[in-house]
Amino acid sequence: MRAPRTSPTCRATGLFVALLLAISPTVPVAQTDPAACVDCHQDQADQLAQTSHGRPGFAKLSSDSCITCHRDVEQHVEDPNNEQFYPRVDKLPAAETASMCQQCHSGGQQFFWASGRHETRGVSCTSCHSVHGFKSERAQLHAATASEQCFECHKDTRAETWKVSHHPIREGKMGCNDCHNPHGSMSPKMLHQTTVNEQCYQCHTEKRGPFLWDHAPVRENCMNCHNPHGSNHLKLQKTSVPFLCQQCHLNTRHPGTLYDRNTLAGQARASNRIFNRACLDCHANIHGSNHPSSPYMGH
Amino acid sequence: LTVGFGASLAEDPAEPASTAADFGWSIDPVVLSTIETRNTTNSAKFEEYVDRDSGFQIPLLRVTGRSSDQARQFEFTAHNVRRDDARYRLDYDLAGRWDFELDYNKIPHRFVNDGRLLWNELEPGRLAIADPLQTALQDELTLRFSSKQPINYSFLQPLLQPYLATSESIDVGLQRDRLHARLGLGSLGKFRMALDYRSENRDGTRALGGSFGFNNVTEIPEPIHYQTRDIELSGEWATHRAGVVAGYRVSKFENRVDTLVWDNPFRITDSTSATAYLGPSSSSVLGSSRGVFDLAPDNQAQTAFVQGRVRWGKHWQVNGYVQDSTMKQDDTLLPYTLNSAIDGIALDTSTFDATDPANLPIDSADAEVSMLNYGVNLSGAFGSHVDLAVRHSFNDYETLSRRTVFPGYVRFHSTWEEIPRITVPYAWEQTRSSAEVGFKVNQRVRFGVGVERNSFDRAFREIETSDEDTIHLTVDATLHKSFTFRGHVSDGEREISEYSTEAQEFSFFEPEGINNQPGLRKFDEAAREVHRWDYSLVWSPGEAFSLTAGIGRAREDYVESSFGLLGDLLTQYNAEINYMPSERLNTHVYFHRSDREVGQRGRQSAGTLSTDPLNDWFINFDERQNVWGVGLDARLSDRWTTTWYGQWTESEGYADFFSPPGGTPNKALDLPNYEDIRLRSIGTRLQCAISEAVTGQIGYAREHYTIDSFILSGLQHYLPGSLLINGNGGNYDASIVSVELAIRF
C-alpha cells in the first residue's frame, strides 16, 4: 500500500506477523518457522508487516508462512551464504513465478492472466511487482506509479505521452492501467473493455451516442483518427486537420481543395478551412450530430 | 501518534474483535508546502492538467489506521488538498471479509486563457450580443451591399476591430471531478461480490465552431455541464481450476445544458436567400439572427457480461466471455432552424414553418445500438517445450434506429436546402481469429509464431467485407540472468471486397451523383499491407548498471488507394542507461527518437469532379520527435539528499507539398511548421532529514515551452471568414520555487 519505511512500529509489527505465521499447525515447524527466517531477514519481515501479505487475511489463505512463496529453502537454511540457494522468487522462470502468485491471485484483475500477452511473452508478476521492495503507493510496484512501471518497457509509449496533445498521464491524473489491464484481458492490447470505443466511452460518454446522424468510422474505432498515447496535433489527431479529413473526403469544391501555406492566416489566399480547427470549425459535431439540419455533422 | 498494535495473537482473523477504541492511527506524512510560480505569459498550457498557482498547499496527507489485531485497516491519502488537481483516496477493509475504496480525482483541463468574445452569457446555453451592435453591423453591411461595394476581409476587419478591442476576456477550460466508490465482499474467498459506483461531473467551456456560413465562421465557448453516473454489480466465483464472473452495468450520461443559442454578430433580423449561407460577403448579407446548436444529447448504456475460465492438467486453460450491450439516446429534436424567415419544403413541395419542431418527421431521436461481443481463448502447452494459444472473438455492432427521411435541411441557419436526407443505421461485425505456437528452447528462451485473421463485415459503407491476415514471429530470451532480448516481426495484408463509391449516397433519399474521387479508398477499410518489427534489449550485468535499448518500425502501405492516405511509416529508437555506482548515487540518462512519414494524395475539383491529373496534389508529412532526459539522485550525507532532472523534448514537422504545374492548384507551398514544439524542463530538490519525523525540502523547477504550428500561425480574433476566441495556449517560460516540510506523527 505504501512505500516501505522501517520504524520501531514496523519492527514490532513484523515480529507480530512472524509470530502469527508461526502458530500455524499444519506444516512442520522445521520448514516454516518464520522466526528462523526473521532471525536473518528482519528488514523484510518489518516491511512485509505493512502490506497485505502481513495481515491476518494472508494467514487465512496460507498456513505456510514464508515458504508459501519461497520454496526449497532447506538448502538455503543449511548454507545461507550460498547465493545459489537463495530462494528468490524474482529469479525463478516467469511461469513459475506467476504460478506462485496465482495460488492466491487468480481472480479479479488476474482472472485472465493465462494466455494474456504478458504471460505469453514471459513477463512475470515480479517483473512489475515487488513483495518486499516496492516504491509505489499502491499495488506494490517497482516504480513509483503504474505508468512509470509500464514505461520501464514501453519506452516508445512514454515518449508519445510527452507530445503536446496527450491524456493527463505524465501529470499523474490517469495511468496506463485506466485503459489497459496489464494482467491480461480478452481484448486486443489488453484493454479493460472489449473494444476500443467501449474503452473510450468509459470517460467520453458524451460521444457514445448513438446519434441521429452518425459518422461511420467514428462508430467503429476512435483510433481511426486519434492516437490515445499522444500526438503533436490538436485533440490527439493522428494527422492534423484538414489533412486528416482529406484522407477520406476529396469531394467536389472545398473538401478536395489543397490547403497549403498560401491559404494560411495572413497569406494571400487565406482560408478559414485550414487555420484554427480547420474543418471542425463548421463540422463541429464530427462524432455525431442530433440536429435535423446536420447531416454534415455541423450544428 | 502511533498507538495500539496490541498482540491479540490468538484471535481468529475471520472474527475480529477490534473496535474503534483499539485502532492505532498515524499520520505519515503530512507535507506542507508553499510554492511561488512565475510565468512569462498567461498560457493555459502551463497548467493544462494541473494547478500550479502560487501559495500554500498540502501536496500530500496520509492518515492510516489499523486495529490491534491487524484485521481492520484504514488509509486516507490526499494529494494537492483543495487544489483544482486534488485527489483523495480512502480505503477501509476488514481482511478477508469486505473492503471499501473511494477515489475522488479532480482533473482540470485548460485550453486557452485570455480569449476574446463578442458574446455575453445571459444564461447557460445562451450567448448574446448587444442588440445595438448587431443592428449597427447589419445596417453597415446592408448599406454597403446595396451600394454594390465589395464586402471582404479588408472591409470587415476594421468594421469589427473597435468592438473586439473592448470585448470580454475569457479563459476556456473545464474541470472533471471523477468519483469511484467500490464495495467488495469476500476479497479473499472463492466468492466475491463488488458494487462499483462511478460518477463524473464535467463543468466549464470548450471552443466550438458555430458558423453562420462559409464566410462567417464564429468560434464560441461550448458550455460543458456533463454528468455521468455508472453503477456496476458483479460477482465472481474463482478457484485455481475454474472461475466465473458475471455482472451488470448501467451508465447514464446527462447534459444539463444540451442546447446552445448564440447571436449572429452581423444580423439582428432573420432573413434568407439561396445564397445567404455565403454571407457576409459580396454575394449576400442575409442570414439568421441566431444559431442553435444541439449539444451532446443525454444517453444511456446497459451492459451484461459473463466471463469464465477453466483450467485442466498442468497447463491448459480455456477463457471465454460474452457481453451484451445496448446504447440508447432519445433526446427531443430541435427544429430545423430558429430563422423565422425560412420556410421548409416538404417532399410533396408544400411549405411549412421550419422553426416549429412539430413539422419534423420525428420528435425525438429514438436512436439505439445493440452490441454483442464474445470471445474464447484456448491456451496450453505440450510438455515443457511447446505452447499453444488460440484466440477467437466476435463483435457485432448493430444500429437499431429506424431510418428517418428529412425532406431537406437548413444550411448554416441561413438557407433551406431542398435535398432530402435519410438517416443511416451503420453496422459492422468484426471477427478475429488467431493461433500462436511457442517453442521454448529452455525456460528462458521462447520463439513464437502466429497467424491472425481480422475480418470485417460492414453495412452502409464502401467496402462490405475485408480480411486482414497477419503472420508474426516473436522471440523472448533471458540469457545469463543479465540479458533480456525481445523481438517481434509481423507481416499483414488486408484484402477487400468491391469498393462501392455509391456508399456516399446512403444518406441521400434521392441519388445525387458521385462527388468523391472514385479512386479514393477510405483508409480505415482500404486494402493495405502492414509490416512491423521491433526489438528491445535489457542488459543489467550487476545491480549498479543497466542498459535498455529498443528499435522498431511500423509501415502501412495502402496498395489499392489512388487517393487519400497512401502510406504511413513510423520508425522509433530508444535507449536508457541507469548507473548506480554506490548506494549514495543513482543516475540515469535516456533518449528517444521517432520518425514518422505519412503520404497522401488529393485532387482539387470545382463544382464537378475533376479527372485531370494536373489538379492533383501530394503531401508527404515528416514528423520527428527527439526526447533527451537525465536524472540524478544523490545521498549527500545521512541527512541530506538531492535530486536533479532535466528533459528536452523536441518535435519538428514538415509538410512537403507537390502539385504538378499547369493545373489547379498550380503550385503548392510547403508548411515548414507542421507543429514544431519544444519543451525543456529542469528541476532540482534538496532534502534534509531534520529529525526522524521531520523532513524539509526546497525545490526549483523550470519549464520552457514553444510551439510553432501552421494551424495556429497568424491567428487573430478576426480573420477572413472567421471570428475566433484566439486565446493563449502557447509559449511560456515558467519557474516554480517550493519549500516543503514533511512531518510524520
Side-chain angles (χ1 to χ4, degrees):
Chain A
M1 298 286 282
R2 60 178 176 171
R5 183 175 71 92
T6 301
S7 69
T9 303
C10 294
R11 299 176 80 85
T13 313
L15 183 59
F16 161 77
V17 172
L19 291 170
L20 186 68
L21 298 176
I23 63 174
S24 164
T26 56
V27 181
V29 172
Q31 289 183 14
T32 61
D33 184 357
C37 301
V38 173
D39 280 346
C40 300
H41 301 285
Q42 181 69 52
D43 286 349
Q44 283 86 348
D46 292 342
Q47 185 276 332
L48 191 75
Q50 296 301 304
T51 71
S52 297
H53 290 114
R55 298 185 61 206
F58 182 82
K60 187 180 175 188
L61 284 171
S62 169
S63 57
D64 291 345
S65 71
C66 305
I67 68 160
T68 303
C69 305
H70 300 282
R71 294 174 181 169
D72 303 326
V73 297
E74 292 82 2
Q75 288 174 300
H76 172 60
V77 171
E78 289 173 10
D79 188 2
N81 293 322
N82 189 336
E83 283 191 30
Q84 190 183 341
F85 300 137
Y86 285 179
R88 290 183 59 160
V89 175
D90 59 344
K91 298 299 181 190
L92 293 173
E96 286 185 37
T97 306
S99 173
M100 187 89 71
C101 301
Q102 286 241 300
Q103 292 177 100
C104 302
H105 299 278
S106 61
Q109 296 285 305
Q110 295 82 26
F111 192 83
F112 285 136
W113 169 258
S115 85
R117 290 294 179 195
H118 279 154
E119 188 265 353
T120 308
R121 299 196 61 185
V123 177
S124 77
C125 312
T126 53
S127 302
C128 304
H129 300 278
S130 172
V131 171
H132 294 295
F134 55 90
K135 292 181 184 171
S136 63
E137 277 188 6
R138 308 175 80 83
Q140 300 190 200
L141 299 166
H142 290 297
T145 66
S147 297
E148 285 180 37
Q149 188 62 55
C150 301
F151 297 152
E152 287 292 312
C153 295
H154 300 276
K155 307 284 186 191
D156 293 338
T157 307
R158 177 177 67 180
E160 289 190 294
T161 67
W162 280 98
K163 291 183 175 174
V164 66
S165 176
H166 61 280
H167 280 112
I169 297 168
R170 70 190 201 216
E171 289 83 358
K173 303 306 291 180
M174 65 180 290
C176 309
N177 56 328
D178 282 323
C179 301
H180 302 277
N181 181 356
H183 304 103
S185 82
M186 294 285 286
S187 312
K189 305 293 181 186
M190 296 196 286
L191 294 173
H192 286 292
Q193 303 300 319
T194 51
T195 64
V196 169
N197 279 29
E198 285 176 287
Q199 189 63 56
C200 300
Y201 295 153
Q202 297 300 302
C203 295
H204 302 281
T205 43
E206 81 278 12
K207 295 182 173 62
R208 184 165 55 196
F211 298 93
L212 187 69
W213 304 104
D214 271 323
H215 190 184
V218 173
R219 301 272 65 95
E220 214 168 277
N221 193 333
C222 303
M223 289 175 61
N224 282 333
C225 299
H226 302 282
N227 180 354
H229 295 135
S231 159
N232 279 326
H233 313 296
L234 296 173
K235 305 289 183 189
L236 297 162
Q237 289 161 12
K238 289 164 69 176
T239 298
S240 179
V241 288
F243 313 112
L244 175 65
C245 305
Q246 292 184 311
Q247 291 177 353
C248 290
H249 302 284
L250 290 172
N251 303 59
T252 52
R253 303 189 189 280
H254 72 270
T257 300
L258 173 68
Y259 299 105
D260 65 348
R261 185 146 47 98
N262 286 309
T263 59
L264 287 178
Q267 301 299 312
R269 291 195 287 113
S271 168
N272 57 14
R273 296 182 187 111
I274 183 171
F275 53 71
N276 208 37
R277 280 172 299 113
C279 310
L280 305 176
D281 280 330
C282 293
H283 303 277
N285 264 328
I286 202 65
H287 299 103
S289 172
N290 228 39
H291 195 291
S293 286
S294 296
Y296 290 110
M297 310 298 157
H299 307 152
Chain B
L1 179 65
T2 304
V3 294
F5 295 119
S8 50
L9 299 179
E11 288 178 2
D12 179 351
E15 295 179 5
S18 58
T19 64
D22 59 8
F23 236 72
W25 296 96
S26 66
I27 297 176
D28 182 10
V30 55
V31 180
L32 309 174
S33 172
T34 180
I35 65 170
E36 178 66 27
T37 301
R38 293 189 179 176
N39 190 356
T40 54
T41 69
N42 191 26
S43 169
K45 192 70 184 169
F46 176 57
E47 294 188 280
E48 184 177 17
Y49 290 119
V50 290
D51 181 349
R52 290 163 152 174
D53 285 353
S54 295
F56 173 77
Q57 65 167 333
I58 302 175
L60 176 62
L61 166 66
R62 182 183 295 117
V63 180
T64 57
R66 275 194 179 187
S67 60
S68 56
D69 59 3
Q70 309 288 312
R72 295 172 194 271
Q73 179 165 293
F74 170 91
E75 181 166 329
F76 171 73
T77 309
H79 291 271
N80 300 339
V81 176
R82 300 195 65 186
R83 292 243 162 186
D84 290 345
D85 59 353
R87 187 165 193 172
Y88 305 96
R89 280 174 160 154
L90 186 150
D91 298 88
Y92 183 73
D93 73 279
L94 173 56
R97 291 282 189 84
W98 58 271
D99 57 278
F100 176 71
E101 297 173 30
L102 192 71
D103 181 4
Y104 185 62
N105 192 5
K106 291 167 69 70
I107 309 174
H109 194 176
R110 304 177 221 271
F111 301 108
V112 292
N113 289 337
D114 297 333
R116 287 294 176 89
L117 201 63
L118 280 182
W119 292 263
N120 293 304
E121 187 179 46
L122 298 182
E123 58 184 341
R126 179 70 179 102
L127 294 172
I129 294 176
D131 286 355
L133 171 55
Q134 281 180 290
T135 304
L137 292 173
Q138 177 177 307
D139 290 349
E140 187 82 22
L141 286 167
T142 304
L143 183 66
R144 192 167 175 93
F145 186 78
S146 60
S147 63
K148 298 188 176 171
Q149 296 180 73
I151 297 174
N152 50 23
Y153 177 66
S154 301
F155 165 71
L156 292 167
Q157 200 274 342
L159 179 67
L160 273 179
Q161 198 53 46
Y163 304 107
L164 284 167
T166 57
S167 60
E168 295 285 323
S169 174
I170 182 175
D171 294 344
V172 181
L174 51 87
Q175 177 80 34
R176 285 176 184 253
D177 292 343
R178 298 170 62 84
L179 173 76
H180 178 204
R182 179 184 174 87
L183 176 64
L185 301 176
S187 59
L188 297 176
K190 291 178 183 173
F191 295 98
R192 306 179 193 190
M193 296 276 288
L195 181 65
D196 287 86
Y197 173 75
R198 291 181 174 83
S199 79
E200 179 184 285
N201 288 337
R202 211 183 323 171
D203 290 287
T205 54
R206 181 167 58 195
L208 180 73
S211 305
F212 285 97
F214 280 6
N215 297 298
N216 191 3
V217 171
T218 59
E219 189 178 44
I220 47 179
E222 174 187 0
I224 305 289
H225 296 286
Y226 296 164
Q227 195 172 56
T228 301
R229 303 279 182 270
D230 294 355
I231 191 161
E232 178 180 313
L233 179 65
S234 61
E236 176 184 302
W237 172 81
T239 67
H240 184 70
R241 288 288 173 198
V244 177
V245 180
Y248 182 71
R249 181 169 60 237
V250 177
S251 174
K252 193 170 182 182
F253 166 78
E254 184 185 353
N255 189 354
R256 286 171 286 176
V257 179
D258 62 0
T259 304
L260 174 61
V261 176
W262 74 106
D263 286 348
N264 185 344
F266 299 106
R267 297 291 312 175
I268 185 70
T269 53
D270 286 339
S271 59
T272 186
S273 75
T275 58
Y277 67 91
L278 296 173
S281 69
S282 300
S283 303
S284 176
V285 291
L286 303 180
S288 178
S289 65
R290 293 174 299 164
V292 60
F293 206 118
D294 197 349
L295 303 173
D298 297 352
N299 68 64
Q300 61 174 302
Q302 300 176 52
T303 303
F305 59 89
V306 178
Q307 304 169 341
R309 61 164 167 74
V310 177
R311 292 173 178 162
W312 71 93
K314 191 177 176 184
H315 302 292
W316 290 91
Q317 170 159 322
V318 171
N319 298 337
Y321 74 93
V322 179
Q323 178 174 304
D324 187 41
S325 309
T326 57
M327 292 175 269
K328 292 181 182 176
Q329 182 266 121
D330 194 22
D331 245 24
T332 302
L333 298 185
L334 298 174
Y336 289 102
T337 184
L338 298 183
N339 187 340
S340 57
I342 293 178
D343 282 332
I345 302 173
L347 292 173
D348 62 3
T349 68
S350 63
T351 60
F352 60 85
D353 179 1
T355 65
D356 186 352
N359 290 321
L360 294 168
I362 52 176
D363 56 8
S364 64
D366 194 17
E368 182 174 352
V369 161
S370 167
M371 192 156 187
L372 173 68
N373 306 308
Y374 65 77
V376 60
N377 290 359
L378 165 70
S379 63
F382 303 97
S384 58
H385 291 288
V386 179
D387 61 76
L388 172 72
V390 179
R391 302 180 176 92
H392 178 79
S393 67
F394 177 75
N395 310 113
D396 180 7
Y397 180 97
E398 185 180 8
T399 302
L400 303 176
S401 316
R402 63 189 162 184
R403 300 200 73 180
T404 303
V405 178
F406 292 86
Y409 59 93
V410 175
R411 179 182 281 193
F412 289 119
H413 318 279
S414 301
T415 306
W416 178 265
E417 295 290 349
E418 198 177 346
I419 302 171
R421 301 296 293 263
I422 182 169
T423 57
V424 185
Y426 296 107
W428 54 269
E429 293 176 358
Q430 182 183 21
T431 308
R432 299 171 74 116
S433 304
S434 68
E436 179 177 303
V437 179
F439 303 94
K440 283 183 181 165
V441 178
N442 54 42
Q443 289 277 22
R444 300 188 183 277
V445 179
R446 177 185 181 275
F447 293 92
V449 57
V451 292
E452 176 176 332
R453 167 161 284 201
N454 184 4
S455 302
F456 269 93
D457 191 343
R458 300 174 170 95
F460 299 107
R461 291 210 65 191
E462 291 80 1
I463 293 167
E464 190 174 335
T465 61
S466 67
D467 295 310
E468 183 159 22
D469 295 319
T470 306
I471 181 168
H472 72 259
L473 303 169
T474 62
V475 58
D476 300 279
T478 303
L479 306 170
H480 305 299
K481 299 182 183 177
S482 63
F483 187 86
T484 301
F485 174 79
R486 298 184 188 279
H488 170 266
V489 182
S490 70
D491 254 319
E493 184 174 0
R494 183 160 69 196
E495 295 183 340
I496 60 175
S497 61
E498 186 182 354
Y499 191 90
S500 167
T501 49
E502 288 78 18
Q504 64 175 280
E505 298 203 288
F506 284 136
S507 69
F508 290 85
F509 188 61
E510 296 159 355
E512 201 191 35
I514 305 303
N515 68 356
N516 203 358
Q517 285 295 340
L520 181 138
R521 299 288 177 267
K522 294 187 175 177
F523 64 88
D524 65 312
E525 48 183 356
R528 66 176 183 178
E529 293 177 358
V530 181
H531 313 279
R532 291 193 175 100
W533 52 259
D534 58 79
Y535 304 102
S536 67
L537 65 87
V538 180
W539 180 48
S540 50
E543 298 288 332
F545 178 85
S546 71
L547 166 69
T548 309
I551 181 170
R553 173 173 277 208
R555 180 182 184 121
E556 297 174 8
D557 293 311
Y558 293 84
V559 291
E560 294 180 17
S561 302
S562 302
F563 294 97
L565 180 63
L566 304 180
D568 191 330
L569 171 64
L570 175 66
T571 309
Q572 302 196 82
Y573 323 81
N574 67 71
E576 182 165 333
I577 293 172
N578 286 275
Y579 180 51
M580 193 170 70
S582 73
E583 288 191 353
R584 289 181 171 273
L585 184 62
N586 191 349
T587 63
H588 66 272
V589 58
Y590 56 90
F591 166 71
H592 171 272
R593 180 188 175 94
S594 69
D595 285 284
R596 182 168 179 237
E597 291 179 56
V598 176
Q600 73 182 78
R601 178 187 180 195
R603 179 174 288 173
Q604 187 159 313
S605 299
T608 56
L609 200 62
S610 171
T611 56
D612 185 355
L614 291 178
N615 296 335
D616 284 359
W617 49 263
F618 300 83
I619 316 176
N620 185 43
F621 298 108
D622 187 1
E623 296 181 74
R624 280 176 293 157
Q625 185 198 22
N626 289 306
V627 182
W628 285 94
V630 61
L632 177 153
D633 296 299
R635 177 170 290 280
L636 305 175
S637 70
D638 288 345
R639 296 176 64 182
W640 292 90
T641 56
T642 186
T643 299
W644 295 76
Y645 67 88
Q647 180 169 293
W648 179 58
T649 306
E650 175 198 56
S651 300
E652 282 195 26
Y654 192 95
D656 184 0
F657 287 81
F658 171 73
S659 177
T664 306
N666 184 27
K667 186 179 178 188
L669 292 183
D670 299 345
L671 292 172
N673 52 348
Y674 183 66
E675 328 286 30
D676 294 346
I677 296 148
R678 286 174 178 77
L679 174 62
R680 292 197 300 267
S681 52
I682 57 167
T684 182
R685 291 188 291 272
L686 180 65
Q687 238 179 19
C688 176
I690 298 166
S691 70
E692 193 168 318
V694 181
T695 303
Q697 175 180 291
I698 57 173
Y700 173 79
R702 182 168 182 181
E703 285 185 11
H704 186 222
Y705 170 80
T706 60
I707 178 168
D708 180 9
S709 168
F710 77 96
I711 205 167
L712 301 172
S713 64
L715 279 194
Q716 301 165 30
H717 300 299
Y718 190 72
L719 283 165
S722 295
L723 183 57
L724 307 170
I725 292 174
N726 191 28
N728 182 0
N731 301 353
Y732 66 81
D733 186 356
S735 61
I736 303 173
V737 176
S738 63
V739 179
E740 283 186 9
L741 203 60
I743 308 167
R744 300 181 173 88
F745 296 97

